[in-house]
């Protein structure tokens, strides 16, 4: 490397920003390239007619230790406050409310039968073994549990009711897929990470996280990187047709995009990234004239209740500043199939159709008419996550230690999951650069 190293970061999401910030704090020059007009990646918010729409990531948790520490370091911890602890679970067209801060009361909910609750206890030994290995620093450590799908595992250990009304909706809310196609590792990890965590909200929207980290960084917006290749001891980026040379580069974009940018690499980690299949979705945000009658924030809806609606969130309950006083804000996450069937429509009919689709599943609870909708926003995701079938983490274990090696490094939630996983991976790349330079 040169006497004054200069490092490129591709992507201004949590991973890229965390890496750039840590390098900058150690006096290493960085340039962050972001193809969009603002930082955040899948952690963005937009403001419209007094409403704040969180487009991607919806919350933090008290278990996000590195994220919370970084926000404190950049002086943004004043934005944090306790979030809504009540979740909803749809069963037989009824929304059951469960307060996670009152587990004894939640255990008495009719959302699950007594026999199902007793069978759930059968997971305790497996959870205990997995929890000792679970963490945001990498899900590859759970590879030994990656032998079957979530559906196969839960059906065998707990039965259909727990599969339908607990395991499947948890996977849908967090991975946007289903228990049928996700590894059992996903369920074990989710239950570990959120079992003892408190929900935390961010004033001004989830996008405020990346806005706070980005303030002191050199970020070039509207700069789409076309390729990243190693060129001797340096790395060459092609940006808008011109070539720029750096001492090293961190590629911090979704797995398929990372593979496309670095296709000349052909390393084992590149091959893993290239094999990731995107999960697509659409999120419909509805500003409502009145608040629906519910205390829940996040609401789980099983596949057996609706194949189309993956999950929904009452954002006005999740965080009070997301909607004007006495107004409601409803976010509906819909499946890839639903998005594909209706993508030819303009946004307004898609918003109304999404409202009808959810209302039809909750006839006694929700009835959103076009007159109730004051504003809306429709956001299509070509990549909201990658599919994580059985075998994903066994393959990841073979390459996980190599993502932060070499002059071209990779960071992102594909190594773990969520904002915390992304930030840890970005920091890990920065730490490796610092060790390489012996700073």
């Amino acid at each position: 490397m040169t006497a004054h190293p200069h490092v490129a970061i591709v992507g201004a999401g949590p991973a890229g920003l965390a890496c750039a910030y840590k390098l900058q704090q150690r006096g290493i020059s960085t340039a962050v390239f972001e193809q969009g007009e603002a930082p955040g990646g899948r952690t963005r918010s937009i403001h419209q007619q007094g409403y704040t729409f969180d487009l991607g990531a919806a919350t933090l948790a008290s278990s996000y230790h590195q994220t919370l520490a970084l926000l404190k370091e950049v002086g943004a911890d004043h934005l944090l406050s306790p979030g809504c602890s009540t979740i909803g679970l749809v069963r037989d067209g009824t929304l059951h409310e469960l307060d996670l801060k009152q587990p004894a009361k939640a255990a008495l909910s009719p959302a699950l039968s007594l026999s199902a609750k007793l069978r759930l206890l059968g997971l305790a030994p497996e959870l205990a073994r997995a929890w000792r290995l679970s963490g945001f620093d990498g899900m590859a450590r759970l590879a030994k549990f990656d032998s079957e799908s979530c559906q196969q595992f839960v059906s065998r250990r707990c039965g259909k009711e727990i599969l339908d009304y607990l395991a499947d909706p948890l996977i849908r809310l967090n991975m946007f897929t289903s228990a049928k196609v996700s590894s059992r590792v996903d369920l074990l990890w989710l239950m570990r990470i959120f079992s003892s965590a408190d929900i935390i909200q961010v004033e001004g929207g989830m996008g405020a996280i990346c806005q706070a980290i980005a303030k002191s960084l050199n970020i070039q917006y509207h700069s789409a990187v076309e390729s990243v290749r190693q060129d001797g001891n340096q790395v060459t980026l092609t940006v808008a047709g011109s070539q720029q040379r750096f001492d090293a580069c961190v590629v911090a974009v979704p797995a398929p995009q990372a593979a496309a940018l670095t296709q000349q690499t052909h390393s084992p980690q590149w091959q893993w990234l290239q094999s990731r299949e995107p999960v697509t979705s659409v999120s419909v945000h509805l500003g409502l004239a009145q608040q629906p009658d519910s205390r829940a924030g996040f609401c789980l809806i099983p596949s057996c209740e609706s194949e189309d609606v993956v999950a929904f969130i009452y954002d006005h309950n999740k965080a009070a500043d997301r909607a004007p006083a006495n107004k409601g804000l409803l976010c509906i996450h819909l499946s890839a199939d639903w998005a594909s069937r209706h993508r030819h429509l303009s946004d307004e009919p898609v918003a109304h159709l999404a409202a009808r689709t959810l209302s039809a599943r909750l006839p006694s609870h929700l009835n959103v008419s076009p007159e109730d909708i004051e504003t809306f926003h429709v956001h299509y995701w070509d990549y909201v996550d990658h599919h994580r079938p059985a075998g994903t983490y066994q393959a990841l274990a073979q390459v996980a230690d190599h993502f932060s090696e070499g002059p071209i490094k990779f960071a992102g939630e594909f190594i773990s999951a969520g904002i915390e996983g992304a930030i840890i991976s970005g920091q890990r790349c920065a730490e490796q650069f610092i060790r390489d330079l012996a700073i």
Side-chain angles (χ1 to χ4, degrees), residues 60-71:
L60 298 178
S62 58
S63 55
Y64 289 16
H65 301 303
Q66 294 303 314
T67 304
L68 300 178
L70 180 56
L71 289 175

Side-chain angles (χ1 to χ4, degrees), residues 259-270:
L261 290 176
T262 59
Q263 55 186 310
Q264 295 182 354
T265 305
H266 292 292
S267 62
Q269 56 268 40
W270 176 87

Side-chain angles (χ1 to χ4, degrees), residues 1 45 63 94 118 122 213 215 237 264 295 345 354 394 408 426:
M1 288 194 180
S45 303
S63 55
T94 297
L118 293 174
I213 302 170
K215 282 182 179 179
L237 271 66
Q264 295 182 354
R295 296 178 295 111
L345 299 174
Q394 293 182 17
I408 300 177

Side-chain angles (χ1 to χ4, degrees), residues 300-324:
L300 289 67
I301 183 164
S303 300
C304 61
E305 296 281 341
S306 174
E307 288 284 353
D308 291 328
V309 180
V310 174
F312 60 101
I313 305 170
Y314 287 130
D315 280 298
H316 58 277
N317 289 336
K318 185 187 77 173
D321 71 340
R322 297 304 194 267

